[in-house]
């Protein structure tokens, strides 16, 4: 592993001496390391069985967010994926700092500004990953159609394949998918979204500024992003207040929120099992039960 990291840094163009390689905890998919050379500090992710485009799509997502100029992400230095061995790695700028009294307020405001970067269609031009689950992406004119076909339906079908859909759950979920346009907005902005924004996917830099990491970007309804931030916590009242000062939430947000959280509950059902089944059931029963 050490030899591979040194070679990756050398290939990146840093020929200075590697002074320290230290494992970094926190993720359950990749091996991660802090690397310090005479010139630079790096964060390196490594995986010996990367699916096609895994690190490439993360790198492209980070660059897409960076292009907005409104919220920070680590600089992407290099990535590599081998179709033969399955080995892959991603070399990023090392980011480390401490929160200050303005950090979460800034995160809320900057995320709202990022959501103001929009497109005329919903979706994205290439697939993405959430965890190790590949997600289809095409462009759609209607948000409800994109959300149903490219987000909910693939997760429902995966849950069926894994054996997590008993008869009543399966019937309820498919009925909900058929009636999705009843609850989702017929007209909303296609905002640039991080796509997987939970409390562990943002970090703090040296000056207390927030940075987004591990994106799964696409253009969608901004309420989808906000709904996930509320599902498992990790965001303060200052974050939500600052966000709404820039982009006030609609009066229908609370009624739609469980429909957006359903996607992530299905993802967790597929990744971690039946512990999330009852939460999935509460959502579909609320709308069609």
């Amino acid at each position: 592993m050490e030899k591979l990291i040194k070679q990756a840094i050398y290939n990146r163009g840093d020929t200075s001496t590697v002074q320290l390689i230290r494992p970094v905890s926190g993720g359950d998919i990749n091996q991660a390391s802090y690397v310090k050379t005479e010139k630079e500090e790096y964060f390196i992710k490594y995986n010996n069985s990367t699916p096609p485009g895994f690190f490439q799509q993360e790198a492209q997502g980070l660059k897409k967010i960076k292009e907005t100029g409104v919220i920070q992400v680590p600089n992407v230095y290099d990535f590599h994926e081998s179709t033969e061995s399955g080995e892959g790695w991603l070399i990023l700028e090392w980011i480390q700092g401490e929160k200050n009294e303005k950090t979460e307020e800034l995160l809320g405001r900057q995320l709202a500004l990022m959501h103001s970067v929009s497109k005329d269609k919903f979706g994205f031009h290439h697939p993405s990953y959430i965890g190790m689950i590949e997600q289809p992406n095409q462009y759609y004119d209607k948000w409800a159609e994109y959300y149903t076909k490219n987000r909910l339906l693939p997760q429902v079908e995966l849950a069926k394949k894994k054996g997590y859909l008993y008869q009543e759950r399966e019937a309820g979920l498919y009925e909900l998918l058929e009636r999705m346009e009843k609850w989702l907005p017929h007209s909303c902005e296609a905002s640039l979204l991080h796509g997987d924004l939970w409390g562990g996917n943002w970090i703090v830099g040296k000056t207390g500024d927030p940075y987004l990491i591990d994106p799964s970007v696409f253009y969608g309804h901004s309420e989808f992003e906000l709904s996930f931030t509320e599902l498992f916590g990790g965001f303060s009242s200052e974050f939500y207040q600052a966000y709404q000062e820039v982009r006030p939430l609609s009066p229908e947000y609370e009624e739609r929120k469980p429909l957006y959280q359903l996607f992530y509950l299905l993802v967790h059902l597929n990744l971690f099992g039946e512990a999330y089944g009852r939460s999935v059931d509460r959502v579909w029963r609320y709308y069609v039960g």
Side-chain angles (χ1 to χ4, degrees):
M1 183 68 177
E2 181 177 331
K3 182 179 179 181
L4 185 148
I5 289 175
K6 288 181 177 179
Q7 186 63 48
I9 294 296
Y10 181 86
N11 291 346
R12 188 254 156 179
D14 185 346
T15 59
S16 65
T17 302
V18 175
Q19 299 177 328
L20 177 65
I21 299 175
R22 172 169 48 86
V24 177
S25 61
D28 57 2
I29 295 175
N30 306 298
Q31 297 180 53
S33 299
Y34 164 78
V35 180
K36 179 177 174 59
T37 71
E38 290 178 325
K39 286 178 57 179
E40 196 79 60
E41 293 178 289
Y42 302 97
F43 178 69
I44 299 184
K45 294 182 178 184
Y46 168 80
N47 197 301
N48 61 8
S49 58
T50 53
F54 184 74
F55 285 128
Q56 179 184 20
Q57 289 167 26
E58 180 176 345
Q60 288 175 344
L62 289 168
K63 290 178 179 178
K64 189 70 177 176
I65 293 172
K66 185 180 179 66
E67 286 171 3
T68 67
V70 298
I71 191 165
Q72 297 194 72
V73 297
N75 286 318
V76 177
Y77 293 135
D78 196 14
F79 69 88
H80 170 81
E81 293 171 341
S82 171
T83 55
E84 295 179 359
S85 67
E87 282 190 326
W89 59 81
L90 177 66
I91 305 177
L92 301 173
E93 174 188 12
W94 175 259
I95 303 295
Q96 185 176 29
E98 294 185 3
K99 290 183 186 179
N100 59 40
E101 67 279 2
K102 294 293 185 180
T103 299
E104 294 207 38
E105 177 186 336
L106 196 59
L107 176 63
R109 184 175 299 109
Q110 291 179 343
L111 183 67
L113 290 171
M114 189 184 90
H115 287 171
S116 298
V117 176
S118 62
K119 197 175 180 66
D120 59 350
K121 292 182 183 294
F122 300 95
F124 209 61
H125 61 273
H126 61 66
S128 62
Y129 287 89
I130 186 158
M132 293 290 277
I133 300 175
E134 187 173 15
Q135 303 183 114
N137 269 322
Q138 296 88 34
Y139 282 116
Y140 289 83
D141 293 321
K142 295 181 179 179
W143 164 241
E145 187 177 10
Y146 172 82
Y147 183 57
T148 302
K149 292 182 178 180
N150 277 202
R151 286 297 177 264
L152 289 181
L153 182 59
Q155 294 299 326
V156 170
E157 291 177 338
L158 181 59
K160 184 176 181 177
K161 182 179 179 181
K162 287 174 170 281
Y164 294 136
L165 296 192
Y166 62 86
Q167 186 175 359
E168 186 184 8
R169 180 181 293 165
E170 180 178 350
L173 284 170
Y174 277 106
E175 181 180 352
L176 180 61
L177 293 183
E178 289 175 3
R179 299 169 57 187
M180 191 61 61
E181 287 193 21
K182 176 180 177 180
W183 296 286
L184 297 190
H186 292 214
S187 176
C188 62
E189 186 178 20
S191 298
L192 180 64
L193 305 183
H194 174 282
D196 189 15
L197 188 56
W198 62 288
N201 276 354
W202 70 278
I203 56 177
V204 184
K206 288 181 180 179
T207 59
D209 291 344
Y211 284 68
L212 298 184
I213 60 172
D214 296 346
S216 182
V217 300
F218 70 101
Y219 290 91
H221 190 196
S222 56
E223 289 182 6
F224 173 82
E225 193 113 281
L226 266 290
S227 297
F228 188 30
T229 66
E230 292 195 55
L231 186 57
F232 299 124
F235 298 84
S236 68
S237 58
E238 289 80 11
F239 163 80
Y240 293 106
Q241 181 177 342
Y243 182 93
Q244 291 195 69
E245 286 174 1
V246 179
R247 289 180 65 91
L249 291 171
S250 72
E252 294 81 23
Y253 170 69
E254 291 296 329
E255 182 64 20
R256 286 193 287 257
K257 182 166 65 176
L259 286 175
Y260 291 152
Q261 292 178 339
L262 176 62
F263 166 74
Y264 293 103
L265 292 171
L266 285 167
V267 169
H268 281 72
L269 176 67
N270 287 322
L271 290 175
F272 306 114
E274 186 55 35
Y276 290 90
R278 292 178 67 180
S279 297
V280 168
D281 292 340
R282 277 196 295 270
V283 177
W284 66 258
R285 283 189 173 124
Y286 176 78
Y287 291 97
V288 301

